[in-house]
Amino acid sequence: EYIKELRNISYLEKKLEKILGLQKVKLVNGAVPADDIKVEIGRMASQLLKKEIKDGDILAVTGGTTLAQVAAEMTYSPDPYDITVVPGRGGLGENVEIQANTIVAQIAKKLGGSYHLLHIPDNIAQENIHPLIKEPSIQKTLEILKKANILIHGVGTAADMAARRGMNQKEIKELLAAGAVGEAFGFYFNYQGEIVYSTSSVGLNLSDLETIDKVIVVAGGENKAEAIIAAVSNVYQDILITDENTAKKIISLK
Ligand code: BG6
């Protein structure tokens, strides 16, 4: 029975790799309570990260509850890694527990690396961005971020993320009417994977993802199936970690 289950999972992984055009898809077992799915994804992602990173790397991470689990599940490294961890984008709108800055500090501590933070809110007025990015501490982080060679980020549904980022009802309605389905680090995608809106913050742009060696995306839960289809493709990401049920849902939609 166990072997059959494993075979089934690797079949689904291969199938999803093909559908999304990704280098690798890894699935956690779907037969656990919904709340545990994020924990399982966090554990799998933290193990994968530890295998992927090497000394000298610059690791960029986003915020979110899934990334918070990646940080929580990561084990302390007895031998410190010589790496630098930075947030992928500014974004101080969310609860501090799930802000990228918090997750950056936690991951760096567990790996024994160093980190730089980005204290810039999401949805900051355009005219305020310019003076802010002249700040030496912010400039420094942005310079390091530009050299990131590995990125791990989450994906959310457009509706959830818009609400979490403090958009009002009218703005959310407009965003959804414009076709937004999925979101990743401030970019909102329609079902076809086109960007329909982006928050005004600083940090990585989507075009930067094409040059980052390894982009890992973590997102689970069947309610995110469409968001994953929208925001994940071989243009940007290399590895997807999700769960069995979400994989099945994506396959049924495609
Ligand atoms: C945000 C990230 O903080 O979290 C996004 O910037 C992501 O990339 C979102 O879409 C996902 O959050 P969660 O809580 O569903 O993992």
Side-chain angles (χ1 to χ4, degrees):
E1 197 50 31
Y2 179 66
I3 299 285
K4 214 175 108 201
E5 186 64 24
L6 281 183
R7 258 199 229 120
N8 188 25
I9 287 207
S10 69
Y11 167 78
L12 286 174
E13 288 174 341
K14 290 278 165 301
K15 184 141 189 183
L16 206 53
E17 280 166 12
K18 228 176 165 171
I19 286 178
L20 299 173
L22 298 176
Q23 214 177 76
K24 195 184 252 337
V25 169
K26 285 173 80 77
L27 301 179
V28 303
N29 198 316
V32 296
D35 283 352
D36 293 348
I37 295 250
K38 259 181 214 167
V39 179
E40 296 297 325
I41 290 177
R43 184 173 313 136
M44 190 181 262
S46 71
Q47 285 165 358
L48 180 105
L49 258 185
K50 280 188 137 180
K51 261 192 264 157
E52 293 285 343
I53 54 173
K54 34 186 191 350
D55 286 344
D57 277 354
I58 297 174
L59 168 68
V61 309
T62 66
T65 55
T66 317
L67 255 303
Q69 287 300 334
V70 177
E73 288 300 314
M74 191 165 279
T75 53
Y76 282 90
S77 296
D79 302 316
Y81 287 84
D82 177 19
I83 59 147
T84 308
V85 192
V86 282
R89 265 198 136 205
L92 298 177
E94 302 202 278
N95 292 340
V96 71
E97 290 82 4
I98 62 167
Q99 276 176 20
N101 282 328
T102 310
I103 293 165
V104 160
Q106 275 173 351
I107 291 181
K109 200 169 160 202
K110 288 192 167 172
L111 295 175
S114 60
Y115 63 84
H116 291 267
L117 303 179
L118 206 48
H119 296 294
I120 295 194
D122 245 332
N123 293 322
I124 177 175
Q126 280 298 339
E127 65 266 30
N128 294 335
I129 290 183
H130 216 72
L132 256 183
I133 59 175
K134 285 203 203 127
E135 269 302 309
S137 75
I138 288 172
Q139 228 173 47
K140 173 101 188 146
T141 305
L142 289 175
E143 264 167 35
I144 295 168
L145 179 58
K146 286 285 166 208
K147 291 191 234 146
N149 62 328
I150 172 158
L151 163 72
I152 180 161
H153 73 85
V155 167
T157 69
D160 282 353
M161 289 312 296
R164 237 164 75 179
R165 292 224 170 86
M167 277 192 186
N168 64 38
Q169 284 306 323
K170 185 170 165 276
E171 290 166 328
I172 296 177
K173 239 176 135 180
E174 280 167 11
L175 181 69
L176 300 181
V181 173
E183 184 275 355
F185 50 98
F187 295 91
Y188 290 82
F189 300 84
N190 65 15
Y191 198 66
Q192 284 69 41
E194 296 153 348
I195 303 162
V196 292
Y197 177 76
S198 67
T199 56
S200 53
S201 189
V202 298
L204 289 177
N205 275 313
L206 278 170
S207 55
D208 296 326
L209 267 61
E210 294 169 40
T211 57
I212 296 181
D213 295 340
K214 195 128 282 174
V215 180
I216 303 165
V217 50
V218 286
E222 285 168 78
N223 67 318
K224 284 191 182 180
E226 287 170 354
I228 293 171
I229 293 174
V232 175
S233 81
N234 60 356
V235 182
Y236 304 120
Q237 293 94 353
D238 302 293
I239 304 174
L240 165 69
I241 303 179
T242 185
D243 63 277
E244 212 182 332
N245 296 332
T246 308
K248 285 183 187 154
K249 180 84 191 279
I250 294 173
I251 292 166
S252 78
L253 288 168
K254 276 291 196 171

